[in-house]
Amino acid sequence: MDFCLNKWDSSYIFSLAENANDERIITWLNEGFPHPYTQKDAEGFIGMVQSDQNALHRAIVLQNRAIGGISLMLGSGAKRFNGELGFWLTPKFWGQGIMTDAVSLFCKEIFCVTKLKRIFAEVFVPNIASCRVLEKCGFSKEGVLHASVFKGGKFYDSVLYALVVSESGKS
């Protein structure tokens, strides 16, 4: 499926509001992703990411419509060569390989345009699909963080994955 990773702009407000407004999306995301997801939420998000100097954000776009998002929060201080990856995709497109391709493309872009040496992601243990995406993209499982997440009244373990550029410059 032909999709692209674009910088967020106001042309995606309506499709973002529509495609992010599915309760299944927030199941394994950190708190802060609203539900219901409104046009006002989309406007606020796009405004925020356009001025965010501490992260890189892309819309996953299919047929000129935002169907998901992918972001990298840049580390600072002693962790300035690290970035934390986060992503979501509207359920209509789950299981079609889009997110695996998007993560792969985004990570290649990150390593080309930044001086980062390590991209990491923390995934709730029950979120098997996201674990598979990261594994298919070459991320290594670094460990399990026990009872590290509290969501929906329950504690969950999370898995820490990382993609590291070696001294030779390859991941």
Side-chain angles (χ1 to χ4, degrees), residues 33-50:
F33 196 99
H35 183 77
Y37 201 101
T38 66
Q39 183 177 328
K40 186 176 179 180
D41 293 319
E43 290 168 355
F45 172 77
I46 291 172
M48 183 273 300
V49 300
Q50 288 177 331

Side-chain angles (χ1 to χ4, degrees), residues 72-90:
L72 186 95
M73 303 302 292
L74 301 170
S76 62
K79 295 186 177 186
R80 67 187 172 276
F81 295 104
N82 288 263
E84 183 174 7
L85 180 70
F87 50 85
W88 68 272
L89 186 68
T90 195

Side-chain angles (χ1 to χ4, degrees), residues 5 8 12-22 24-30 33-34 37 42 45-46 49 57-61 65-71 85-94 98-100 102-103 127 130 133:
L5 299 178
W8 287 100
Y12 300 123
I13 289 171
F14 296 109
S15 58
L16 171 58
E18 178 184 346
N19 287 313
N21 191 31
D22 188 308
R24 294 172 290 177
I25 294 170
I26 64 169
T27 303
W28 303 122
L29 293 181
N30 198 351
F33 196 99
Y37 201 101
F45 172 77
I46 291 172
V49 300
H57 304 277
R58 297 291 180 268
I60 301 170
V61 177
R65 295 178 49 79
I67 61 167
I70 188 165
S71 298
L85 180 70
F87 50 85
W88 68 272
L89 186 68
T90 195
K92 177 180 175 182
F93 296 102
W94 289 357
I98 292 172
M99 191 51 74
T100 300
V103 168
N127 188 353
S130 289
V133 164

Side-chain angles (χ1 to χ4, degrees), residues 101-114:
D101 292 344
V103 168
S104 181
L105 287 169
F106 189 60
C107 289
K108 286 176 186 169
E109 175 188 352
I110 295 303
F111 285 134
C112 285
V113 301
T114 71

